[in-house]
Amino acid sequence: MFYYYTNMLFTVDHASPLALADQIAAQVRGGLGRGELEAGERLPPARDLAAALGVNMHTVLRAYAQLRDEGLIDLRRGRGAVVRGHVNAERIRLIELARAFVTEARRLGLADDDITAILKEVRP
Amino acid sequence: MTRRLRAVLAAIAAWVPAGVLLASPPSRWDNLPSTLATHWGTSGRPDGFTGTTTTWTVALVVTLLAGALATAAATMWHRFGPGSRLLLGVAGGVGGAAAGIWLATAASTAATGSADDARISWRLSWFFIGLAYGIVLYALAGRAPATPAGDPSENVTPDAMTLAPSQQAAWTTVLRSRLLVGATAVGLLIGVAALATTAPRSWTWAVLVVPAAVLLVLAEVRVSVDRRGLRLTAGLLRLPFKRIPLDRIARASVENIDPLRWGGWGYRVMVPGRSAFVTRSGPGLVVDLTNGHRFAVTVRDPRTPAALLNALRHREPVG
């Protein structure tokens, strides 16, 4: 009779050097990557999640905005944050790889042009 | 005589009123007109009349339903416990009363041959005798077995989740019922159609709106466990209808939920000292409160929220 949503556990560490918004976004990505979160599922309302974790609502909204920019969720007024249809585990792993690549490039002091140049270089 | 046998006998006896109806159809009476006196004023003169066949049919349906109810109660004897005995008694009373009403009204009219001259007088007692048949069944059914405690191997209290003091965790899930939304929509459509065809007064719409609103509110429920404790929020209105703060929680565990032992499906407060939001039988999160009460909610993986609650309740409560 009842339709069950996937359970979602969010944890944030206030002592971690990672920004709280990044931590929250990473947990959603993890859930998507492991296949625990599926298309059409709704993330908890930002206000609720912020109160639950004891963080600012804008921190959660920043995390959700980050996920939207990555094309993982839709953010619509009134409907909240909904996992997008085409999202799959492979794509998310690829985004994670790209993120690691960009982070490493920044550490080496490369600018955006250098990064895109490298991408063009490795293209077959 | 075993307890089980007594329940079965009570269920069989619950069909007696239906048997009385089947043995006394309108055709079996001499002198019974097509209309019965079915209501009497204070003067003793009849002021309400119903078709003979209609009265008999309605009474028969009621006794058949009572028999079915009693049979169901007897088959659930071991799971439903004391509730089964009560149901057997109710079924006996309802069935008996229906049979009593039929016999009393039919005999009253048949005695004079005309509904207009019928007097019920002492025959009214047949209704009360029929009603008392419920007491007979209740006594016949005997004491129900104490409700079993279920399989204890399935009931576990998970260890507290490891959480560093700098860590904060929140668990959430949504229970959503497409069936409930669909049923509400169908019910509303039928209600609207019925009202539209019977030229209603304006206030009759309220009859539809209230149950529809209740159903829609409960069609989606978010369950969350975090530093504020356990809470159930009605999805569409974001209305928190159950809140249990951490300092009232003594223990969180995982149990196999049998809906009948928690009072049924839905939001239940029927069994003393227990309340529950039950959507099916299966694993559920059960919270023991510091005042001895228990609250249960069925979720897909209750181990995680139970472990989280056990970790959080050792912390300082947060508003």
Side-chain angles (χ1 to χ4, degrees):
Chain A
M1 168 170 166
F2 269 75
Y3 189 82
Y4 281 76
Y5 270 52
T6 304
N7 306 319
M8 228 3 236
L9 178 71
F10 291 88
T11 47
V12 291
D13 193 340
H14 291 266
S16 160
L18 266 177
L20 289 171
D22 293 346
Q23 293 185 37
I24 294 169
Q27 311 236 328
V28 176
R29 268 185 234 116
L32 291 165
R34 287 189 298 272
E36 291 170 7
L37 274 175
E38 285 168 20
E41 285 180 29
R42 228 179 296 173
L43 301 182
R47 187 190 299 273
D48 286 6
L49 187 57
L53 292 172
V55 302
N56 194 296
M57 187 177 80
H58 294 287
T59 306
V60 179
L61 285 175
R62 208 155 45 238
Y64 283 3
Q66 205 174 310
L67 294 165
R68 180 199 52 203
D69 293 347
E70 290 163 18
L72 300 179
I73 63 170
D74 277 327
L75 271 184
R76 273 189 233 125
R77 185 163 283 280
R79 280 203 69 208
V82 182
V83 176
R84 284 183 64 166
H86 71 272
V87 162
N88 62 51
E90 273 79 24
R91 184 182 158 81
I92 294 167
R93 267 200 292 282
L94 199 62
I95 292 173
E96 286 299 300
L97 277 173
R99 191 186 309 282
F101 164 69
V102 171
T103 312
E104 186 64 12
R106 289 256 185 278
R107 201 179 64 81
L108 295 173
L110 298 184
D112 286 1
D113 288 351
D114 301 324
I115 294 171
T116 37
I118 291 173
L119 282 176
K120 284 201 180 108
E121 213 173 286
V122 297
R123 214 164 46 181
Chain B
M1 199 156 51
T2 66
R3 287 172 167 180
R4 177 82 198 167
L5 183 62
R6 292 182 66 155
V8 170
L9 285 179
I12 293 169
W15 290 94
V16 167
V20 169
L21 262 292
L22 287 172
S24 61
S27 56
R28 292 284 294 273
W29 298 68
D30 305 323
N31 217 9
L32 197 62
S34 61
T35 306
L36 287 185
T38 48
H39 192 267
W40 283 264
T42 43
S43 64
R45 294 195 66 83
D47 59 6
F49 304 92
T50 312
T52 304
T53 314
T54 310
T55 311
W56 181 77
T57 310
V58 169
L60 177 65
V61 168
V62 171
T63 55
L64 289 176
L65 287 178
L69 178 70
T71 307
T75 46
M76 296 196 295
W77 190 244
H78 283 283
R79 289 182 69 196
F80 207 9
S84 285
R85 190 187 190 191
L86 194 65
L87 271 184
L88 279 166
V90 168
V94 169
I101 288 171
W102 162 248
L103 291 179
T105 53
S108 301
T109 301
T112 54
S114 149
D116 291 324
D117 301 328
R119 295 289 181 276
I120 188 152
S121 63
W122 56 271
R123 294 188 194 91
L124 185 61
S125 61
W126 296 356
F127 165 75
F128 292 103
I129 292 169
L131 205 56
Y133 191 57
I135 300 170
V136 175
L137 287 204
Y138 186 80
L140 181 59
R143 198 178 294 280
T147 26
D151 185 357
S153 66
E154 287 166 343
N155 304 343
V156 285
T157 304
D159 292 334
M161 184 183 283
T162 26
L163 274 185
S166 63
Q167 273 185 317
Q168 197 56 261
W171 176 91
T172 174
T173 191
V174 174
L175 317 179
R176 161 187 269 196
S177 173
R178 287 184 180 165
L179 188 74
L180 215 52
V181 174
T184 310
V186 170
L188 261 180
L189 280 179
I190 293 172
V192 166
L195 282 185
T197 50
T198 54
R201 294 191 186 89
S202 55
W203 55 263
T204 46
W205 293 98
V207 176
L208 288 181
V209 169
V210 173
V214 169
L215 279 179
L216 282 180
V217 161
L218 289 179
E220 192 180 290
V221 171
R222 181 177 284 278
V223 184
S224 51
V225 167
D226 50 59
R227 66 200 183 110
R228 300 166 298 180
L230 169 68
R231 56 173 64 197
L232 271 70
T233 317
L236 296 181
L237 298 178
R238 303 235 179 113
L239 187 78
F241 64 94
K242 184 76 185 177
R243 273 188 275 206
I244 305 176
L246 288 176
D247 56 2
R248 280 183 53 209
I249 295 174
R251 192 167 64 105
S253 46
V254 175
E255 275 186 30
N256 221 19
I257 304 291
D258 182 345
L260 290 178
R261 285 196 284 123
W262 287 85
W265 286 260
Y267 186 50
R268 296 285 119 174
V269 286
M270 273 168 68
V271 185
R274 284 181 170 200
S275 54
F277 190 75
V278 175
T279 59
R280 46 143 203 192
S281 58
L285 169 67
V286 177
V287 176
D288 283 278
L289 304 185
T290 47
N291 64 5
H293 283 206
R294 310 190 84 207
F295 177 79
V297 56
T298 49
V299 294
R300 188 156 74 183
D301 171 30
R303 208 167 257 276
T304 311
L308 178 56
L309 274 178
N310 286 332
L312 290 173
R313 69 189 173 84
H314 295 298
R315 292 187 169 181
E316 289 294 305
V318 189

